[in-house]
Amino acid sequence: LSKYCHECNLIQEEPERISLTWLSHKKEIERLSDSDYISKKDFNKLWELEMSLEIKTIIGLIWETGVRKIELINIELDDVDQKNRSISIETAKRDSHNRIVYYSPSLSRLIRRYLKEIRPQKIYSNESDKLFLGERSKKLNPSWLRQQISKKYEKAGIQETLYTDAAGDERKQYN
């Protein structure tokens, strides 16, 4: 991570500390909020739930790597380097560069199990290069993914309704 940040001029190395250049922009700091992130305590509640291997792998990847849902949907099999426990992510942001994210040995075991036990059972497993497939499509549907994760958050008791919009739809803390 440090090497990547340095190459992208996001950090400046100093003898006793590393300062993040982008944190000096007030606009960026204002956008970061505690309500945008799940706490370790809430994650542990979520992780202890009974869930399918596929959903557990997805939630683990989101938690450990910080990938956005749309980035997760677009991960291809060739992006995953199981030997180095890393994934090349095509970023969803405008600057459109790839970044490398790393994951733990325990998540590595989940990914291997998913690839061996679940993915081959999917209808399009031989036709799609995506890591995660829909039941009847060549990649996950973003709405389905959001719905599955939201259900797990609610079941863990960590999903809060922030407000109800003009159409009468509840807007949740984690989507």
Side-chain angles (χ1 to χ4, degrees):
L1 179 64
S2 175
K3 182 180 175 185
Y4 168 79
C5 289
H6 186 41
E7 289 173 357
C8 294
N9 295 322
L10 295 175
I11 62 171
Q12 297 172 333
E13 292 186 32
E14 296 180 12
E16 295 178 0
R17 70 176 202 266
I18 296 175
S19 63
L20 296 173
T21 306
W22 59 271
L23 281 178
S24 64
H25 301 296
K26 189 174 181 185
K27 209 173 207 180
E28 286 293 326
I29 293 171
E30 290 173 352
R31 289 190 337 187
L32 301 176
S33 162
D34 288 342
S35 67
D36 292 337
Y37 304 97
I38 184 171
S39 70
K40 178 77 170 162
K41 179 182 170 187
D42 284 348
F43 176 77
N44 287 337
K45 288 181 191 176
L46 180 66
W47 198 245
E48 291 171 7
L49 290 177
E50 188 174 316
M51 63 183 88
S52 71
L53 175 60
E54 180 177 34
I55 296 299
K56 192 155 193 116
T57 305
I58 287 170
I59 289 173
L61 268 173
I62 291 171
W63 170 258
E64 283 195 18
T65 65
V67 297
R68 296 167 183 85
K69 291 177 195 98
I70 194 67
E71 292 170 342
L72 179 122
I73 288 169
N74 290 318
I75 295 173
E76 295 187 355
L77 292 170
D78 290 343
D79 296 335
V80 181
D81 180 349
Q82 292 185 47
K83 182 181 175 189
N84 293 313
R85 293 191 327 262
S86 66
I87 302 172
S88 176
I89 302 294
E90 185 177 327
T91 60
K93 290 190 171 186
R94 282 183 243 160
D95 53 3
S96 156
H97 63 279
N98 288 3
R99 71 180 191 278
I100 305 294
V101 295
Y102 297 90
Y103 52 90
S104 69
S106 59
L107 186 56
S108 181
R109 288 187 291 276
L110 280 178
I111 292 170
R112 280 195 308 272
R113 277 190 57 213
Y114 165 78
L115 289 171
K116 183 179 179 184
E117 299 171 19
I118 305 300
R119 192 179 186 285
Q121 297 175 13
K122 303 283 183 164
I123 292 172
Y124 291 102
S125 64
N126 294 325
E127 297 176 34
S128 177
D129 293 333
K130 300 296 182 194
L131 176 61
F132 295 104
L133 306 172
E135 288 302 315
R136 293 181 176 81
S137 62
K138 294 181 181 181
K139 70 178 186 177
L140 284 181
N141 179 309
S143 297
W144 178 88
L145 179 59
R146 192 177 316 106
Q147 181 184 43
Q148 294 302 309
I149 292 172
S150 186
K151 281 181 187 179
K152 295 301 177 194
Y153 284 0
E154 287 178 17
K155 193 171 182 180
I158 60 174
Q159 180 71 288
E160 294 179 29
T161 300
L162 297 176
Y163 64 93
T164 303
D165 66 16
D169 296 325
E170 290 183 342
R171 296 300 172 179
K172 305 289 186 175
Q173 181 174 5
Y174 305 115
N175 280 320

PDB file of all heavy atoms in Angstrom, residues 21-48:
ATOM      1  N   THR A  21      -0.993  13.066   1.614  1.00  0.00           N
ATOM      2  CA  THR A  21      -1.163  14.343   0.927  1.00  0.00           C
ATOM      3  C   THR A  21      -2.627  14.698   0.756  1.00  0.00           C
ATOM      4  O   THR A  21      -3.035  15.821   0.981  1.00  0.00           O
ATOM      5  CB  THR A  21      -0.474  14.292  -0.454  1.00  0.00           C
ATOM      6  OG1 THR A  21       0.868  13.885  -0.261  1.00  0.00           O
ATOM      7  CG2 THR A  21      -0.518  15.634  -1.148  1.00  0.00           C
ATOM      8  N   TRP A  22      -3.459  13.712   0.372  1.00  0.00           N
ATOM      9  CA  TRP A  22      -4.851  14.021   0.082  1.00  0.00           C
ATOM     10  C   TRP A  22      -5.641  14.423   1.322  1.00  0.00           C
ATOM     11  O   TRP A  22      -6.689  15.033   1.218  1.00  0.00           O
ATOM     12  CB  TRP A  22      -5.546  12.877  -0.649  1.00  0.00           C
ATOM     13  CG  TRP A  22      -5.550  11.576   0.089  1.00  0.00           C
ATOM     14  CD1 TRP A  22      -4.602  10.609   0.036  1.00  0.00           C
ATOM     15  CD2 TRP A  22      -6.543  11.112   0.996  1.00  0.00           C
ATOM     16  NE1 TRP A  22      -4.934   9.560   0.835  1.00  0.00           N
ATOM     17  CE2 TRP A  22      -6.126   9.847   1.442  1.00  0.00           C
ATOM     18  CE3 TRP A  22      -7.728  11.632   1.480  1.00  0.00           C
ATOM     19  CZ2 TRP A  22      -6.866   9.100   2.338  1.00  0.00           C
ATOM     20  CZ3 TRP A  22      -8.470  10.885   2.378  1.00  0.00           C
ATOM     21  CH2 TRP A  22      -8.036   9.638   2.793  1.00  0.00           C
ATOM     22  N   LEU A  23      -5.153  14.129   2.516  1.00  0.00           N
ATOM     23  CA  LEU A  23      -5.867  14.542   3.722  1.00  0.00           C
ATOM     24  C   LEU A  23      -5.786  16.051   3.958  1.00  0.00           C
ATOM     25  O   LEU A  23      -6.541  16.592   4.732  1.00  0.00           O
ATOM     26  CB  LEU A  23      -5.337  13.809   4.949  1.00  0.00           C
ATOM     27  CG  LEU A  23      -5.838  12.387   5.125  1.00  0.00           C
ATOM     28  CD1 LEU A  23      -5.196  11.762   6.347  1.00  0.00           C
ATOM     29  CD2 LEU A  23      -7.343  12.331   5.240  1.00  0.00           C
ATOM     30  N   SER A  24      -4.885  16.712   3.259  1.00  0.00           N
ATOM     31  CA  SER A  24      -4.783  18.153   3.440  1.00  0.00           C
ATOM     32  C   SER A  24      -5.937  18.885   2.748  1.00  0.00           C
ATOM     33  O   SER A  24      -6.157  20.057   2.988  1.00  0.00           O
ATOM     34  CB  SER A  24      -3.444  18.662   2.897  1.00  0.00           C
ATOM     35  OG  SER A  24      -3.375  18.460   1.498  1.00  0.00           O
ATOM     36  N   HIS A  25      -6.670  18.192   1.904  1.00  0.00           N
ATOM     37  CA  HIS A  25      -7.813  18.806   1.224  1.00  0.00           C
ATOM     38  C   HIS A  25      -9.041  18.715   2.118  1.00  0.00           C
ATOM     39  O   HIS A  25      -9.540  17.637   2.391  1.00  0.00           O
ATOM     40  CB  HIS A  25      -8.077  18.115  -0.119  1.00  0.00           C
ATOM     41  CG  HIS A  25      -6.902  18.171  -1.040  1.00  0.00           C
ATOM     42  ND1 HIS A  25      -6.402  19.349  -1.536  1.00  0.00           N
ATOM     43  CD2 HIS A  25      -6.113  17.196  -1.540  1.00  0.00           C
ATOM     44  CE1 HIS A  25      -5.369  19.094  -2.317  1.00  0.00           C
ATOM     45  NE2 HIS A  25      -5.173  17.784  -2.325  1.00  0.00           N
ATOM     46  N   LYS A  26      -9.539  19.853   2.560  1.00  0.00           N
ATOM     47  CA  LYS A  26     -10.644  19.893   3.505  1.00  0.00           C
ATOM     48  C   LYS A  26     -11.875  19.185   2.959  1.00  0.00           C
ATOM     49  O   LYS A  26     -12.597  18.504   3.681  1.00  0.00           O
ATOM     50  CB  LYS A  26     -10.981  21.346   3.841  1.00  0.00           C
ATOM     51  CG  LYS A  26     -11.968  21.484   4.963  1.00  0.00           C
ATOM     52  CD  LYS A  26     -12.162  22.924   5.355  1.00  0.00           C
ATOM     53  CE  LYS A  26     -13.147  22.977   6.503  1.00  0.00           C
ATOM     54  NZ  LYS A  26     -13.480  24.322   6.868  1.00  0.00           N
ATOM     55  N   LYS A  27     -12.123  19.302   1.668  1.00  0.00           N
ATOM     56  CA  LYS A  27     -13.279  18.687   1.046  1.00  0.00           C
ATOM     57  C   LYS A  27     -13.279  17.174   1.262  1.00  0.00           C
ATOM     58  O   LYS A  27     -14.297  16.572   1.549  1.00  0.00           O
ATOM     59  CB  LYS A  27     -13.287  19.006  -0.451  1.00  0.00           C
ATOM     60  CG  LYS A  27     -14.631  19.066  -1.083  1.00  0.00           C
ATOM     61  CD  LYS A  27     -14.502  19.557  -2.506  1.00  0.00           C
ATOM     62  CE  LYS A  27     -15.778  20.236  -2.906  1.00  0.00           C
ATOM     63  NZ  LYS A  27     -15.756  20.731  -4.255  1.00  0.00           N
ATOM     64  N   GLU A  28     -12.124  16.546   1.120  1.00  0.00           N
ATOM     65  CA  GLU A  28     -12.014  15.101   1.307  1.00  0.00           C
ATOM     66  C   GLU A  28     -12.331  14.718   2.753  1.00  0.00           C
ATOM     67  O   GLU A  28     -13.025  13.766   2.997  1.00  0.00           O
ATOM     68  CB  GLU A  28     -10.615  14.605   0.942  1.00  0.00           C
ATOM     69  CG  GLU A  28     -10.342  14.560  -0.522  1.00  0.00           C
ATOM     70  CD  GLU A  28     -11.183  13.520  -1.256  1.00  0.00           C
ATOM     71  OE1 GLU A  28     -11.486  12.459  -0.673  1.00  0.00           O
ATOM     72  OE2 GLU A  28     -11.546  13.775  -2.404  1.00  0.00           O
ATOM     73  N   ILE A  29     -11.824  15.482   3.695  1.00  0.00           N
ATOM     74  CA  ILE A  29     -12.037  15.169   5.105  1.00  0.00           C
ATOM     75  C   ILE A  29     -13.518  15.274   5.456  1.00  0.00           C
ATOM     76  O   ILE A  29     -14.055  14.443   6.159  1.00  0.00           O
ATOM     77  CB  ILE A  29     -11.196  16.095   6.008  1.00  0.00           C
ATOM     78  CG1 ILE A  29      -9.718  15.785   5.805  1.00  0.00           C
ATOM     79  CG2 ILE A  29     -11.571  15.931   7.472  1.00  0.00           C
ATOM     80  CD1 ILE A  29      -8.787  16.756   6.472  1.00  0.00           C
ATOM     81  N   GLU A  30     -14.193  16.266   4.924  1.00  0.00           N
ATOM     82  CA  GLU A  30     -15.604  16.436   5.228  1.00  0.00           C
ATOM     83  C   GLU A  30     -16.456  15.283   4.705  1.00  0.00           C
ATOM     84  O   GLU A  30     -17.484  14.968   5.261  1.00  0.00           O
ATOM     85  CB  GLU A  30     -16.115  17.761   4.658  1.00  0.00           C
ATOM     86  CG  GLU A  30     -15.567  18.960   5.377  1.00  0.00           C
ATOM     87  CD  GLU A  30     -15.937  20.262   4.706  1.00  0.00           C
ATOM     88  OE1 GLU A  30     -16.490  20.230   3.588  1.00  0.00           O
ATOM     89  OE2 GLU A  30     -15.661  21.308   5.296  1.00  0.00           O
ATOM     90  N   ARG A  31     -16.020  14.640   3.632  1.00  0.00           N
ATOM     91  CA  ARG A  31     -16.799  13.544   3.063  1.00  0.00           C
ATOM     92  C   ARG A  31     -16.665  12.267   3.877  1.00  0.00           C
ATOM     93  O   ARG A  31     -17.501  11.397   3.802  1.00  0.00           O
ATOM     94  CB  ARG A  31     -16.368  13.281   1.621  1.00  0.00           C
ATOM     95  CG  ARG A  31     -16.801  14.383   0.703  1.00  0.00           C
ATOM     96  CD  ARG A  31     -16.624  14.066  -0.735  1.00  0.00           C
ATOM     97  NE  ARG A  31     -15.643  13.046  -1.015  1.00  0.00           N
ATOM     98  CZ  ARG A  31     -15.249  12.722  -2.218  1.00  0.00           C
ATOM     99  NH1 ARG A  31     -15.731  13.348  -3.248  1.00  0.00           N
ATOM    100  NH2 ARG A  31     -14.357  11.783  -2.414  1.00  0.00           N
ATOM    101  N   LEU A  32     -15.605  12.130   4.652  1.00  0.00           N
ATOM    102  CA  LEU A  32     -15.417  10.932   5.453  1.00  0.00           C
ATOM    103  C   LEU A  32     -16.239  11.047   6.725  1.00  0.00           C
ATOM    104  O   LEU A  32     -16.167  12.021   7.438  1.00  0.00           O
ATOM    105  CB  LEU A  32     -13.936  10.757   5.814  1.00  0.00           C
ATOM    106  CG  LEU A  32     -12.980  10.651   4.629  1.00  0.00           C
ATOM    107  CD1 LEU A  32     -11.542  10.583   5.126  1.00  0.00           C
ATOM    108  CD2 LEU A  32     -13.306   9.449   3.778  1.00  0.00           C
ATOM    109  N   SER A  33     -17.049  10.036   6.994  1.00  0.00           N
ATOM    110  CA  SER A  33     -17.929  10.069   8.144  1.00  0.00           C
ATOM    111  C   SER A  33     -17.963   8.696   8.790  1.00  0.00           C
ATOM    112  O   SER A  33     -17.905   7.676   8.102  1.00  0.00           O
ATOM    113  CB  SER A  33     -19.331  10.467   7.682  1.00  0.00           C
ATOM    114  OG  SER A  33     -20.284  10.136   8.633  1.00  0.00           O
ATOM    115  N   ASP A  34     -18.098   8.640  10.111  1.00  0.00           N
ATOM    116  CA  ASP A  34     -18.175   7.361  10.798  1.00  0.00           C
ATOM    117  C   ASP A  34     -19.367   6.540  10.333  1.00  0.00           C
ATOM    118  O   ASP A  34     -19.334   5.323  10.341  1.00  0.00           O
ATOM    119  CB  ASP A  34     -18.260   7.558  12.314  1.00  0.00           C
ATOM    120  CG  ASP A  34     -16.941   8.027  12.890  1.00  0.00           C
ATOM    121  OD1 ASP A  34     -15.901   7.865  12.209  1.00  0.00           O
ATOM    122  OD2 ASP A  34     -16.948   8.554  14.010  1.00  0.00           O
ATOM    123  N   SER A  35     -20.443   7.216   9.916  1.00  0.00           N
ATOM    124  CA  SER A  35     -21.627   6.474   9.485  1.00  0.00           C
ATOM    125  C   SER A  35     -21.428   5.817   8.122  1.00  0.00           C
ATOM    126  O   SER A  35     -22.217   4.990   7.714  1.00  0.00           O
ATOM    127  CB  SER A  35     -22.848   7.393   9.452  1.00  0.00           C
ATOM    128  OG  SER A  35     -22.688   8.360   8.433  1.00  0.00           O
ATOM    129  N   ASP A  36     -20.356   6.175   7.408  1.00  0.00           N
ATOM    130  CA  ASP A  36     -20.091   5.576   6.108  1.00  0.00           C
ATOM    131  C   ASP A  36     -19.381   4.226   6.237  1.00  0.00           C
ATOM    132  O   ASP A  36     -19.252   3.508   5.256  1.00  0.00           O
ATOM    133  CB  ASP A  36     -19.213   6.498   5.251  1.00  0.00           C
ATOM    134  CG  ASP A  36     -19.943   7.759   4.844  1.00  0.00           C
ATOM    135  OD1 ASP A  36     -21.185   7.741   4.822  1.00  0.00           O
ATOM    136  OD2 ASP A  36     -19.257   8.748   4.556  1.00  0.00           O
ATOM    137  N   TYR A  37     -18.914   3.888   7.417  1.00  0.00           N
ATOM    138  CA  TYR A  37     -18.110   2.699   7.601  1.00  0.00           C
ATOM    139  C   TYR A  37     -18.687   1.833   8.701  1.00  0.00           C
ATOM    140  O   TYR A  37     -19.220   2.323   9.676  1.00  0.00           O
ATOM    141  CB  TYR A  37     -16.665   3.074   7.945  1.00  0.00           C
ATOM    142  CG  TYR A  37     -16.062   3.965   6.900  1.00  0.00           C
ATOM    143  CD1 TYR A  37     -16.032   5.338   7.060  1.00  0.00           C
ATOM    144  CD2 TYR A  37     -15.582   3.425   5.716  1.00  0.00           C
ATOM    145  CE1 TYR A  37     -15.510   6.154   6.075  1.00  0.00           C
ATOM    146  CE2 TYR A  37     -15.062   4.234   4.726  1.00  0.00           C
ATOM    147  CZ  TYR A  37     -15.031   5.600   4.914  1.00  0.00           C
ATOM    148  OH  TYR A  37     -14.521   6.403   3.939  1.00  0.00           O
ATOM    149  N   ILE A  38     -18.532   0.536   8.546  1.00  0.00           N
ATOM    150  CA  ILE A  38     -18.992  -0.406   9.557  1.00  0.00           C
ATOM    151  C   ILE A  38     -17.873  -0.591  10.583  1.00  0.00           C
ATOM    152  O   ILE A  38     -16.702  -0.716  10.212  1.00  0.00           O
ATOM    153  CB  ILE A  38     -19.405  -1.734   8.885  1.00  0.00           C
ATOM    154  CG1 ILE A  38     -19.992  -2.709   9.891  1.00  0.00           C
ATOM    155  CG2 ILE A  38     -18.262  -2.356   8.138  1.00  0.00           C
ATOM    156  CD1 ILE A  38     -20.607  -3.931   9.250  1.00  0.00           C
ATOM    157  N   SER A  39     -18.231  -0.584  11.850  1.00  0.00           N
ATOM    158  CA  SER A  39     -17.223  -0.741  12.908  1.00  0.00           C
ATOM    159  C   SER A  39     -16.803  -2.206  13.015  1.00  0.00           C
ATOM    160  O   SER A  39     -17.499  -3.114  12.548  1.00  0.00           O
ATOM    161  CB  SER A  39     -17.793  -0.277  14.247  1.00  0.00           C
ATOM    162  OG  SER A  39     -18.791  -1.185  14.693  1.00  0.00           O
ATOM    163  N   LYS A  40     -15.678  -2.440  13.656  1.00  0.00           N
ATOM    164  CA  LYS A  40     -15.187  -3.803  13.876  1.00  0.00           C
ATOM    165  C   LYS A  40     -16.204  -4.600  14.696  1.00  0.00           C
ATOM    166  O   LYS A  40     -16.471  -5.761  14.399  1.00  0.00           O
ATOM    167  CB  LYS A  40     -13.827  -3.742  14.587  1.00  0.00           C
ATOM    168  CG  LYS A  40     -13.238  -5.078  14.917  1.00  0.00           C
ATOM    169  CD  LYS A  40     -12.626  -5.736  13.708  1.00  0.00           C
ATOM    170  CE  LYS A  40     -11.836  -6.960  14.127  1.00  0.00           C
ATOM    171  NZ  LYS A  40     -11.587  -7.854  13.032  1.00  0.00           N
ATOM    172  N   LYS A  41     -16.798  -3.962  15.690  1.00  0.00           N
ATOM    173  CA  LYS A  41     -17.802  -4.624  16.536  1.00  0.00           C
ATOM    174  C   LYS A  41     -19.004  -5.057  15.698  1.00  0.00           C
ATOM    175  O   LYS A  41     -19.479  -6.189  15.809  1.00  0.00           O
ATOM    176  CB  LYS A  41     -18.232  -3.662  17.647  1.00  0.00           C
ATOM    177  CG  LYS A  41     -19.278  -4.202  18.578  1.00  0.00           C
ATOM    178  CD  LYS A  41     -19.666  -3.165  19.609  1.00  0.00           C
ATOM    179  CE  LYS A  41     -20.868  -3.610  20.395  1.00  0.00           C
ATOM    180  NZ  LYS A  41     -21.366  -2.572  21.289  1.00  0.00           N
ATOM    181  N   ASP A  42     -19.506  -4.145  14.856  1.00  0.00           N
ATOM    182  CA  ASP A  42     -20.645  -4.478  14.003  1.00  0.00           C
ATOM    183  C   ASP A  42     -20.270  -5.532  12.971  1.00  0.00           C
ATOM    184  O   ASP A  42     -21.061  -6.422  12.649  1.00  0.00           O
ATOM    185  CB  ASP A  42     -21.189  -3.232  13.300  1.00  0.00           C
ATOM    186  CG  ASP A  42     -22.000  -2.349  14.231  1.00  0.00           C
ATOM    187  OD1 ASP A  42     -22.333  -2.803  15.353  1.00  0.00           O
ATOM    188  OD2 ASP A  42     -22.295  -1.205  13.845  1.00  0.00           O
ATOM    189  N   PHE A  43     -19.050  -5.451  12.445  1.00  0.00           N
ATOM    190  CA  PHE A  43     -18.612  -6.455  11.488  1.00  0.00           C
ATOM    191  C   PHE A  43     -18.585  -7.834  12.147  1.00  0.00           C
ATOM    192  O   PHE A  43     -18.993  -8.826  11.538  1.00  0.00           O
ATOM    193  CB  PHE A  43     -17.233  -6.131  10.902  1.00  0.00           C
ATOM    194  CG  PHE A  43     -16.752  -7.228   9.992  1.00  0.00           C
ATOM    195  CD1 PHE A  43     -17.259  -7.346   8.715  1.00  0.00           C
ATOM    196  CD2 PHE A  43     -15.825  -8.155  10.434  1.00  0.00           C
ATOM    197  CE1 PHE A  43     -16.847  -8.378   7.877  1.00  0.00           C
ATOM    198  CE2 PHE A  43     -15.407  -9.182   9.609  1.00  0.00           C
ATOM    199  CZ  PHE A  43     -15.921  -9.301   8.326  1.00  0.00           C
ATOM    200  N   ASN A  44     -18.115  -7.919  13.372  1.00  0.00           N
ATOM    201  CA  ASN A  44     -18.072  -9.207  14.066  1.00  0.00           C
ATOM    202  C   ASN A  44     -19.471  -9.788  14.231  1.00  0.00           C
ATOM    203  O   ASN A  44     -19.665 -10.996  14.082  1.00  0.00           O
ATOM    204  CB  ASN A  44     -17.372  -9.075  15.419  1.00  0.00           C
ATOM    205  CG  ASN A  44     -15.876  -8.908  15.256  1.00  0.00           C
ATOM    206  OD1 ASN A  44     -15.293  -9.293  14.250  1.00  0.00           O
ATOM    207  ND2 ASN A  44     -15.240  -8.294  16.240  1.00  0.00           N
ATOM    208  N   LYS A  45     -20.466  -8.938  14.524  1.00  0.00           N
ATOM    209  CA  LYS A  45     -21.862  -9.402  14.590  1.00  0.00           C
ATOM    210  C   LYS A  45     -22.295  -9.979  13.246  1.00  0.00           C
ATOM    211  O   LYS A  45     -22.928 -11.020  13.178  1.00  0.00           O
ATOM    212  CB  LYS A  45     -22.804  -8.251  14.949  1.00  0.00           C
ATOM    213  CG  LYS A  45     -22.738  -7.772  16.360  1.00  0.00           C
ATOM    214  CD  LYS A  45     -23.758  -6.656  16.537  1.00  0.00           C
ATOM    215  CE  LYS A  45     -23.613  -5.935  17.828  1.00  0.00           C
ATOM    216  NZ  LYS A  45     -24.553  -4.794  17.935  1.00  0.00           N
ATOM    217  N   LEU A  46     -21.948  -9.271  12.200  1.00  0.00           N
ATOM    218  CA  LEU A  46     -22.289  -9.686  10.845  1.00  0.00           C
ATOM    219  C   LEU A  46     -21.595 -10.999  10.489  1.00  0.00           C
ATOM    220  O   LEU A  46     -22.215 -11.930   9.968  1.00  0.00           O
ATOM    221  CB  LEU A  46     -21.893  -8.578   9.863  1.00  0.00           C
ATOM    222  CG  LEU A  46     -22.146  -8.797   8.384  1.00  0.00           C
ATOM    223  CD1 LEU A  46     -23.638  -8.860   8.111  1.00  0.00           C
ATOM    224  CD2 LEU A  46     -21.511  -7.665   7.578  1.00  0.00           C
ATOM    225  N   TRP A  47     -20.322 -11.098  10.783  1.00  0.00           N
ATOM    226  CA  TRP A  47     -19.507 -12.246  10.403  1.00  0.00           C
ATOM    227  C   TRP A  47     -19.964 -13.528  11.101  1.00  0.00           C
ATOM    228  O   TRP A  47     -19.798 -14.631  10.581  1.00  0.00           O
ATOM    229  CB  TRP A  47     -18.042 -11.958  10.702  1.00  0.00           C
ATOM    230  CG  TRP A  47     -17.081 -12.847   9.997  1.00  0.00           C
ATOM    231  CD1 TRP A  47     -16.239 -13.751  10.566  1.00  0.00           C
ATOM    232  CD2 TRP A  47     -16.838 -12.927   8.581  1.00  0.00           C
ATOM    233  NE1 TRP A  47     -15.490 -14.383   9.600  1.00  0.00           N
ATOM    234  CE2 TRP A  47     -15.842 -13.893   8.366  1.00  0.00           C
ATOM    235  CE3 TRP A  47     -17.380 -12.273   7.483  1.00  0.00           C
ATOM    236  CZ2 TRP A  47     -15.370 -14.226   7.112  1.00  0.00           C
ATOM    237  CZ3 TRP A  47     -16.902 -12.594   6.222  1.00  0.00           C
ATOM    238  CH2 TRP A  47     -15.918 -13.568   6.045  1.00  0.00           C
ATOM    239  N   GLU A  48     -20.539 -13.384  12.306  1.00  0.00           N
ATOM    240  CA  GLU A  48     -20.986 -14.547  13.075  1.00  0.00           C
ATOM    241  C   GLU A  48     -22.311 -15.114  12.578  1.00  0.00           C
ATOM    242  O   GLU A  48     -22.697 -16.211  12.967  1.00  0.00           O
ATOM    243  CB  GLU A  48     -21.087 -14.184  14.555  1.00  0.00           C
ATOM    244  CG  GLU A  48     -19.727 -13.951  15.191  1.00  0.00           C
ATOM    245  CD  GLU A  48     -19.819 -13.373  16.593  1.00  0.00           C
ATOM    246  OE1 GLU A  48     -20.936 -13.257  17.149  1.00  0.00           O
ATOM    247  OE2 GLU A  48     -18.758 -13.032  17.141  1.00  0.00           O
TER     248      GLU A  48
END
